[in-house]
Amino acid sequence: MRRVFLDVSRTISRLDAIIPTGIDRVERAYIDHVSDRYPDALAIGGFGKEYMISPLRDFLLSIQLAGDMKSLTFQDRFRLKLRPQQRLTKSLLRRRHGLMSQRVFLQKMKALSENKNRLLSVGHSRALQNLFSELSSMGLAVEFLLHDLIPVTHPEFCRPNIITQFKTYMEAIQKTASCVYAVSETTARSVVENHVFAGPVVARPGLTLSPQPWKPETEVPYFLVVGTVEPRKNLELLLDLWQKNNLPRLKIVGKSGWAAQSLFEKLENLKHDHRVEHLSEVKDFELANLYAGCQAILFPSHVEGFGLPLYEALSAGVPCIASDIPAFREATDGKLPLVDASDPEGWLSALSSPNRFISEISIPTWDTHFAKVAL
């Protein structure tokens, strides 16, 4: 059996994120599955200018330990000048796994690498980006899971530095990938159209959150949005509707993103009368219950790579009002009405009758996903 190396750099960077993103959840699902299926699997990753190699099962224990360190907070990107909280992460990694220089890391990887061993990078992390070519030359089959190409296909929704960094990441994949997996047909088409990889394999992720089958009896009616507060999520459309109309409460669950100043100004105005609530720190069981108790979960996005929260909500029988974009058309297979992302009247009409937006669709499973990627 081939040894599996799993790039866990994204998880390292977000060890104490209160609200995991969809990509965070997918990388964690890989850590759980690979550590269970492959006892000799190794976790590798970068932290600033230092690197880690560790048995994956040991790293899984570190994730659980870090979850108990409530005082830690992390950034999505590594910084050379670490804040005090980040130094705790570095200390944890050094104490449990032994951080090393790039030179030592590559030496150890060369000693461990053999032909046909697999290196999987599933979290869009750039921490090992400059080393992929050298790792490939050691005989490792370097494989990538791509969630979307939004910085390339829709740069208007991304910070300029992210666009540049992502293009460099795509170039590294072009040069080194032995295989590319895509989370949807929509992403796979982008991969081919942008000449990243000729034949990506579509492997839809399974559910990582199971909404609870109950609804609070005394809860005030509310609609729910889950996702980072940033322009591509199109939350401004919803806030405008809530400003102009007498609608039930709106709960927005997600961290604050970039270019959201106007959004937060509107949020502040609407929060005064308790019509809109922004929840930036919600644990998984709380989120599952929010799914189960809402009148509908709203997805007004301009663009997505995949519809993981959409699947989570539909699996629990929750009404889903989503924008008419390729990823959601694919996810719902024509079985759910969709609403134009730029049509406020269409959204207002949908909000008045949310029960029209319930559908039974085929939900992907992790077993099917891991069969596609031969794990």
Side-chain angles (χ1 to χ4, degrees):
M1 185 180 290
R2 293 189 291 173
R3 169 172 264 166
V4 175
F5 295 82
L6 185 62
D7 179 1
V8 297
S9 300
R10 183 182 183 92
T11 300
I12 291 172
S13 74
R14 293 180 52 77
L15 275 176
D16 201 51
I18 300 297
I19 305 178
T21 66
I23 298 179
D24 295 341
R25 294 183 188 280
V26 169
E27 185 162 294
R28 177 58 189 268
Y30 266 77
I31 291 169
D32 290 341
H33 176 84
V34 175
S35 63
D36 181 60
R37 182 83 182 272
Y38 298 86
D40 67 342
L42 294 174
I44 63 174
F47 192 98
K49 290 188 175 181
E50 294 185 284
Y51 300 85
M52 179 197 82
I53 304 174
S54 171
L56 186 58
R57 288 182 172 180
D58 289 352
F59 181 71
L60 183 56
L61 292 175
S62 293
I63 296 174
Q64 295 161 354
L65 177 62
D68 295 330
M69 301 168 71
K70 303 300 183 186
S71 63
L72 300 181
T73 57
F74 300 97
Q75 301 284 338
D76 281 345
R77 293 179 296 160
F78 299 119
R79 293 170 181 253
L80 300 183
K81 293 183 178 180
L82 301 177
R83 294 177 292 107
Q85 296 92 336
Q86 291 177 306
R87 293 193 190 101
L88 291 174
T89 307
K90 196 166 188 178
S91 174
L92 172 67
L93 294 173
R94 179 173 285 113
R95 186 173 67 251
R96 292 183 60 87
H97 306 290
L99 295 178
M100 63 196 76
S101 68
Q102 178 178 307
R103 181 181 60 82
V104 174
F105 173 76
L106 289 172
Q107 287 175 345
K108 290 195 173 187
M109 286 297 295
K110 188 171 184 178
L112 290 165
S113 301
E114 297 174 1
N115 251 353
K116 298 183 180 179
N117 279 343
R118 303 174 71 186
L119 166 57
L120 289 161
S121 184
V122 303
H124 281 203
S125 172
R126 296 181 295 274
L128 299 180
Q129 174 180 298
N130 296 331
L131 306 183
F132 286 141
S133 290
E134 195 156 353
L135 293 170
S136 176
S137 70
M138 295 175 186
L140 281 169
V142 185
E143 305 174 20
F144 298 87
L145 176 67
L146 293 182
H147 301 261
D148 61 69
L149 270 68
I150 290 171
V152 175
T153 59
H154 295 78
E156 66 273 22
F157 296 127
C158 300
R159 294 189 297 267
N161 64 314
I162 293 296
I163 297 168
T164 301
Q165 292 168 1
F166 194 83
K167 286 181 178 178
T168 304
Y169 180 59
M170 290 297 100
E171 289 169 3
I173 293 175
Q174 287 173 322
K175 294 175 183 176
T176 61
S178 63
C179 189
V180 168
Y181 306 100
V183 298
S184 64
E185 293 284 357
T186 301
T187 297
R189 282 194 296 273
S190 293
V191 168
V192 174
E193 290 169 0
N194 288 278
H195 311 291
V196 177
F197 193 82
V201 176
V202 176
R204 294 181 177 180
L207 294 184
T208 58
L209 181 72
S210 298
Q212 302 300 310
W214 67 276
K215 295 187 178 182
E217 295 180 1
T218 58
E219 177 63 79
V220 174
Y222 64 92
F223 289 99
L224 180 67
V225 174
V226 178
T228 304
V229 179
E230 62 183 6
R232 76 176 177 88
K233 296 295 186 179
N234 198 23
L235 299 184
E236 196 140 7
L237 176 142
L238 296 182
L239 295 183
D240 285 343
L241 288 176
W242 256 260
Q243 276 186 329
K244 298 172 183 176
N245 300 277
N246 184 23
L247 295 166
R249 183 177 298 181
L250 175 65
K251 295 189 178 186
I252 300 172
V253 176
K255 65 176 185 174
S256 301
W258 77 287
Q261 186 59 37
S262 64
L263 277 175
F264 282 109
E265 288 173 0
K266 290 182 180 180
L267 264 175
E268 284 303 314
N269 292 333
L270 289 165
K271 280 163 61 177
H272 288 307
D273 59 6
H274 306 289
R275 294 171 57 210
V276 176
E277 184 179 4
H278 179 217
L279 305 169
S280 59
E281 296 185 0
V282 174
K283 296 178 181 177
D284 277 359
F285 77 91
E286 295 170 320
L287 179 57
N289 291 335
L290 284 170
Y291 274 170
C294 68
Q295 289 191 305
I297 182 167
L298 313 179
F299 301 91
S301 302
H302 288 296
V303 60
E304 295 285 352
F306 182 65
L308 190 55
L310 182 66
Y311 280 126
E312 290 173 347
L314 287 171
S315 73
V318 178
C320 296
I321 306 175
S323 55
D324 189 5
I325 58 175
F328 292 158
R329 288 198 291 271
E330 177 187 343
T332 58
D333 196 25
K335 297 177 181 177
L336 186 76
L338 299 173
V339 185
D340 190 321
S342 59
D343 179 12
E345 293 303 317
W347 276 87
L348 188 59
S349 173
L351 292 168
S352 69
S353 53
N355 287 335
R356 291 191 293 121
F357 296 85
I358 296 177
S359 177
E360 291 186 6
I361 63 173
S362 177
I363 305 295
T365 67
W366 278 115
D367 286 345
T368 301
H369 176 90
F370 287 123
K372 288 271 190 179
V373 300
L375 277 177

